Amino acid sequence: MKTVNVDLGKRSYPIHIGSGILDRSDLFQAHVRGSQVVVITNDTVSELYGERLVETINSVARTHIHTLPDGEKYKNLNAVSQIFDRLLSIPCDRRTTLVALGGGVIGDITGFAAACYLRGIPYIHVPTTLLAQVDSSIGGKTGVNHPLGKNMIGAIHQPLCVISDTRVLGTLPQRELRAGLAEVIKYGFIRDLKFFEWLENSHQSLLACDPASLSYAVEQSSRNKAEVVHEDEYESGIRAILNFGHTFGHAIEAFSRYEDYLHGEAVAIGMSMAAEFSRRLQQLSKAQAEQSIQLIKNCALPIDPPASMTPEDFHQFMSRDKKVDSGRIRFITLHQIGQAKITSSYSPEILRETIEHCIPWCSEVRAK
Ligand SMILES: NC(=O)c1ccc[n+]([C@@H]2O[C@H](COP(=O)([O-])OP(=O)(O)OC[C@H]3O[C@@H](n4cnc5c(N)ncnc54)[C@H](O)[C@@H]3O)[C@@H](O)[C@H]2O)c1
C-alpha cells in the first residue's frame, strides 16, 4: 500500500492506495470517529461492494448503509435531504462518520451532506471510479447540481482520509475507465513531465487495466492533486490549473445537455483544444502540441467537438462558465508539456481561429 498526504495543517489527511484495501478494517479503525458509521452509496456500487464494506467497518463501529439511485441526475438537494432524513431517524449525532462509497457523484453528495449535517460531521472517501480516485475525492470540493447549473450548491469540506482500492477498478466499464484517464493525463500536461513521459509508454497497459500500472497512475495523480491543493486549498490562484481543458469541455457538456459525453470525454476534447490554443498563442511549440494531442488519442479519447456545435455555441456556453472573471473567459494554457499557466489576456481572434480549426466542418470550409 502507498500513502500520499494532503498537507493542510490541522485538516491534513492521508490518501491510502492499494489493491484489496477495502477489506482492511485497521485503516477505518485509524480514522473513524464516534461509534456510528453511515455508508452512502448507489444501487450499482452497493451491489458490488456494499456488503463487503459494511462487514469491514462493522468491526470498528456500528455501520448503516444508505443507498441512492445511480446517476448524475440524482446529484441534487433532494438526495441530500434524503440523507438528512435517514441520519435524523437513526439518530446520528455529531460524532457519526459518513463514508462515501462510489464515484464522484456519491463523493460530492456525501461530502456536502457531511458539511451541512449538524453544521459539519466527519466523512471518509472510498472512491470506486478512476476519476474519483485521481481527482474528485481529493481536495474537499463537495456539492450538488441545481436545475440552473452544475455543481452550483456546495462547500469545501475536507475528508478524514481517502481509501483508494485499485482492485475495484476491475469492474468499471471501459468507457468510464477511459474518461478517468483524461484526468490522469491532465496532471502530465499541467505539471509533471516525467509522468507525461511514463504515460506515453504506459497507455496500453492502463487501457488493459493492468493493476500495477493503474496503481502507479493513481498514486502519481493523487500526489499531483495533493500538492496543488496544499498550495491553494480555496482556489484563489494556482488550483485553477486543474481546470486545464475544462473551459472548452464544460461548454461541450452543456451544449450536449450532459447527455452525450462523460465529463472526462468532454475534458479530453477540451484539452486538445487548449493545446491548440496554446500553440496559436505561441506559447507551446507545434511539436509539443501534436505530442499532447497524440497522447489523448492513444488513450482512446475523443479530440473533436460535436459536429453540430458552432463557434457561437462555444462562445455562448463558455461565457456562462463559473471561471469567467469580470466578463473575461480565463483559460489554462501550456508553456510546454508539464507547465501550465492561467491566461486571461489573449486576442479574441486567436481564440476564434482555434475553435474554428478544432471544429472539423469549420476547418474544412476554411480550407476550401
Ligand atoms: N469534487 C470534485 O473535486 C470533483 C472533481 C471532478 C468531478 N467531480 C464530479 O464527479 C462526478 C463524476 O464522477 P464519476 O466520473 O466517478 O461518475 P459516477 O460517480 O457517476 O460513476 C460513474 C458510473 O460508474 C459506476 N461505478 C462506480 N464505481 C464502479 C465500480 N467500481 N464498478 C462498476 N461501476 C462503478 C457508477 O455507479 C456510475 O454508474 C461529476 O458529478 C463531477 O461533477 C467532482
Side-chain angles (χ1 to χ4, degrees):
M1 185 182 81
K2 293 281 169 54
T3 298
V4 171
N5 277 305
V6 186
D7 179 5
L8 293 172
K10 278 189 189 154
R11 294 181 305 289
S12 298
Y13 53 94
I15 304 165
H16 300 300
I17 303 155
S19 179
I21 63 175
L22 202 71
D23 300 325
R24 285 197 39 188
S25 54
D26 59 318
L27 294 180
F28 290 92
Q29 177 90 57
H31 297 287
V32 161
R33 299 223 190 111
S35 55
Q36 290 205 107
V37 168
V38 182
V39 174
I40 312 290
T41 187
N42 70 27
D43 34 27
T44 309
V45 181
S46 175
E47 186 125 317
L48 291 164
Y49 305 108
E51 214 176 294
R52 239 175 84 193
L53 186 67
V54 169
E55 225 171 84
T56 304
I57 311 177
N58 244 332
S59 61
V60 173
R62 177 141 192 262
T63 308
H64 310 264
I65 186 160
H66 185 76
T67 306
L68 296 166
D70 185 3
E72 177 81 31
K73 68 172 186 242
Y74 301 106
K75 185 175 139 179
N76 54 31
L77 284 171
N78 188 37
V80 178
S81 174
Q82 276 183 36
I83 295 173
F84 294 155
D85 293 347
R86 182 69 190 277
L87 299 181
L88 287 164
S89 68
I90 287 176
C92 293
D93 64 14
R94 260 205 193 106
R95 284 174 45 81
T96 300
T97 301
L98 299 190
V99 173
L101 172 69
V105 168
I106 285 297
D108 281 8
I109 298 172
T110 307
F112 186 56
C116 301
Y117 187 71
L118 304 179
R119 300 196 185 89
I121 60 170
Y123 76 110
I124 291 172
H125 273 300
V126 181
T128 62
T129 62
L130 182 58
L131 180 134
Q133 293 191 355
V134 301
D135 188 2
S136 62
S137 64
I138 307 162
K141 280 194 187 175
T142 74
V144 294
N145 302 329
H146 183 275
L148 295 181
K150 195 169 145 58
N151 293 331
M152 284 297 168
I153 318 291
I156 300 264
H157 185 47
Q158 301 294 348
L160 294 176
C161 73
V162 180
I163 297 176
S164 290
D165 184 344
T166 48
R167 194 185 289 163
V168 305
L169 301 177
T171 54
L172 201 59
Q174 257 293 318
R175 190 177 170 202
E176 296 288 350
L177 185 87
R178 288 198 301 265
L181 265 186
E183 301 287 359
V184 170
I185 62 179
K186 179 186 77 181
Y187 297 112
F189 289 135
I190 61 170
R191 69 191 303 278
D192 193 340
L193 177 61
K194 259 180 79 184
F195 188 40
F196 178 91
E197 288 166 351
W198 179 84
L199 287 161
E200 281 187 312
N201 294 319
S202 311
H203 56 86
Q204 274 164 337
S205 50
L206 287 169
L207 286 170
C209 225
D210 168 60
S213 306
L214 275 177
S215 286
Y216 183 75
V218 172
E219 185 194 338
Q220 290 310 315
S221 303
S222 302
R223 201 177 297 287
N224 272 291
K225 176 122 189 207
E227 285 171 7
V228 174
V229 170
H230 159 71
E231 277 181 64
D232 179 19
E233 184 179 3
Y234 293 99
E235 198 168 318
S236 46
I238 195 70
R239 187 165 172 173
I241 65 168
L242 296 171
N243 294 319
F244 178 61
H246 284 58
T247 307
F248 293 114
H250 283 157
I252 293 168
E253 284 184 285
F255 172 79
S256 51
R257 296 164 196 256
Y258 301 94
E259 281 168 7
D260 302 341
Y261 296 90
L262 296 179
H263 175 68
E265 292 169 336
V267 166
I269 300 168
M271 291 193 297
S272 89
M273 295 179 76
E276 177 63 22
F277 189 36
S278 308
R279 180 184 80 76
R280 286 174 182 261
L281 290 170
Q282 300 193 328
Q283 293 176 3
L284 189 66
S285 70
K286 186 166 188 282
Q288 289 214 335
E290 284 170 1
Q291 201 183 346
S292 305
I293 294 169
Q294 191 58 46
L295 178 60
I296 301 171
K297 282 196 205 163
N298 287 347
C299 291
L301 286 161
I303 57 161
D304 291 330
S308 54
M309 204 166 170
T310 64
E312 289 68 35
D313 292 325
F314 266 103
H315 196 77
Q316 192 193 338
F317 285 104
M318 289 193 307
S319 308
R320 289 190 207 153
D321 200 89
K322 281 205 292 284
K323 273 85 198 171
V324 172
D325 186 3
S326 320
R328 192 102 183 143
I329 305 167
R330 276 190 313 164
F331 288 90
I332 309 305
T333 52
L334 301 180
H335 286 294
Q336 50 181 291
I337 293 172
Q339 275 185 36
K341 62 180 279 207
I342 301 167
T343 296
S344 44
S345 168
Y346 49 84
S347 144
E349 192 47 35
I350 294 181
L351 176 61
R352 190 173 181 87
E353 282 168 12
T354 302
I355 295 170
E356 287 180 357
H357 169 88
C358 293
I359 297 177
W361 64 263
C362 273
S363 47
E364 279 161 29
V365 169
R366 282 166 74 90
K368 277 184 188 159

